[in-house]
């Protein structure tokens, strides 16, 4: 089984990743970052719309200093196989299943090589939060794409899974600092990334109530930032 935090590839493996990036850079344009708030001078959590693949791809290619939360399925061969073939591709044409089998080793390699944080939805979620806290302790920020695949809350995002908000009390307990959650809107057609005013964890409020309010703020702020842009194509997740 893969390590929870796979080591960054070395030697030929590292060279392969760089080759893949160079090829991908020709197809994924570099976005311009616009800060509608002060840039942080401490570790934070960026919370972004997913788009389809543009946002994660642009982050991997052009902002590797921000560590991404990635689906845990994509760092373990058996789980990736079961998830894709039994759920995602279950009713898809046979040729797509064959194609996936052919490219699966490359998918696993890339997700391990970028040193992402595997997100689990079972008891291993403790490992997910542990890796995030470890990253922040080392001074690094992370980014999550928390959209569900149902229940759109506005024309930009689906409802957010709220589990990530519980990083707030964990970070506060460990550091005594209030974690800031920054809303991020990726606009593929304008090649822009808009970072809005953050919302801050408040240790004086009940966490169950706060988890909802943090998500609602981030969802609405992303919509606000999107509405403020010139007319553009909106890329919904899914």
């Amino acid at each position: 089984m893969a390590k929870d935090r796979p080591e960054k590839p070395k030697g030929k493996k590292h060279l392969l990743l760089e080759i893949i990036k160079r090829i991908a850079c020709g197809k994924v344009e570099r976005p311009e970052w616009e800060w509608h708030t002060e840039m942080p001078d401490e570790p934070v959590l960026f919370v972004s719309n997913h788009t389809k693949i543009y946002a994660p791809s642009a982050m991997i290619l052009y902002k590797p200093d921000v560590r991404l939360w990635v689906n845990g399925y994509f760092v373990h061969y058996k789980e990736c196989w079961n998830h894709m073939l039994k759920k995602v591709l279950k009713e898809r044409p046979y040729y797509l299943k064959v194609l996936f089998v052919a490219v699966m080793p490359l998918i696993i390699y890339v997700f391990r090589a970028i040193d992402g944080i595997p997100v689990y939805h079972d008891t291993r979620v403790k490992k997910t939060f542990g890796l995030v806290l470890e990253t922040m302790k080392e001074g690094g920020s992370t980014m999550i794409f928390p959209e569900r695949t149902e229940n759109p809350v506005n024309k930009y995002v689906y409802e957010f899974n709220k589990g990530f908000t519980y990083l707030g009390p964990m970070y506060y307990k460990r550091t005594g600092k209030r974690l800031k959650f920054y809303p991020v809107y990726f606009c593929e057609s304008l090649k822009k990334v808009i970072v809005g005013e953050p919302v801050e964890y408040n240790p004086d409020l009940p966490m169950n109530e706060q988890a909802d309010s943090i998500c609602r703020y981030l969802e609405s702020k992303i919509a606000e930032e999107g509405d403020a842009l010139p007319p553009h194509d909106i890329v919904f997740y899914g």
Side-chain angles (χ1 to χ4, degrees):
M1 181 173 288
K3 296 180 181 179
D4 297 312
R5 183 175 181 178
E7 294 182 359
K8 292 183 179 180
K10 303 176 182 178
K12 292 182 180 180
K13 288 187 177 182
H14 182 73
L15 178 61
L16 175 58
L17 178 62
E18 293 306 311
I19 292 173
I20 293 172
K21 284 186 175 183
R22 287 181 179 272
I23 295 172
C25 282
K27 299 182 180 297
V28 179
E29 294 185 44
R30 180 190 294 271
E32 174 189 1
W33 283 67
E34 288 188 10
W35 291 82
H36 294 178
T37 183
E38 293 186 4
M39 295 180 65
D41 58 1
E42 60 183 349
V44 301
L45 179 57
F46 295 104
V47 183
S48 176
N49 63 313
H50 197 295
T51 68
K52 292 187 182 297
I53 64 170
Y54 178 73
S57 299
M59 289 298 296
I60 291 170
L61 294 173
Y62 301 115
K63 200 146 180 76
D65 56 312
V66 175
R67 197 175 182 195
L68 301 185
W69 298 40
V70 302
N71 197 317
Y73 294 128
F74 297 126
V75 295
H76 302 296
Y77 282 97
K78 183 176 180 180
E79 292 183 31
C80 184
W81 174 274
N82 289 335
H83 175 68
M84 294 298 294
L85 294 186
K86 295 182 179 180
K87 294 183 179 180
V88 178
L89 298 175
K90 183 178 181 180
E91 298 180 0
R92 299 291 183 177
Y94 182 75
Y95 75 88
L96 287 180
K97 297 179 181 179
V98 174
L99 177 62
F100 171 71
V101 171
V103 301
M104 186 177 72
L106 185 60
I107 293 173
I108 298 290
Y109 164 75
V110 169
F111 276 93
R112 289 183 179 181
I114 64 171
D115 197 32
I117 297 171
V119 178
Y120 300 109
H121 302 283
D122 51 31
T123 56
R124 292 173 297 173
V125 69
K126 294 180 180 179
K127 296 180 180 179
T128 299
F129 284 113
L131 290 173
V132 178
L133 291 170
E134 177 186 330
T135 300
M136 301 183 82
K137 180 181 179 181
E138 296 171 354
S141 293
T142 67
M143 176 178 282
I144 187 173
F145 308 97
E147 287 182 75
R148 301 174 183 267
T149 55
E150 57 184 9
N151 190 23
V153 294
N154 55 55
K155 64 182 180 181
Y156 297 98
V157 294
Y158 286 99
E159 180 183 5
F160 285 172
N161 287 298
K162 61 184 180 181
F164 71 92
T165 63
Y166 287 85
L167 184 64
M170 294 179 186
Y171 186 68
Y172 183 78
K173 182 178 181 180
R174 178 169 294 195
T175 68
K177 297 180 179 179
R178 300 186 180 199
L179 180 63
K180 292 183 175 65
F181 301 85
Y182 280 75
V184 179
Y185 177 58
F186 267 84
C187 179
E188 181 175 359
S189 62
L190 297 179
K191 301 302 180 286
K192 289 183 178 292
V193 183
I194 311 299
V195 185
E197 289 283 351
V199 59
E200 186 177 81
Y201 165 70
N202 187 342
D204 298 324
L205 296 177
M207 191 56 220
N208 288 340
E209 173 186 315
Q210 195 170 175
D212 288 324
S213 65
I214 289 174
C215 286
R216 301 297 84 80
Y217 171 85
L218 295 167
E219 293 163 354
S220 63
K221 194 64 178 178
I222 287 174
E224 180 182 321
E225 298 293 357
D227 287 341
L229 289 173
H232 60 277
D233 295 331
I234 298 171
V235 180
F236 224 50
Y237 182 40

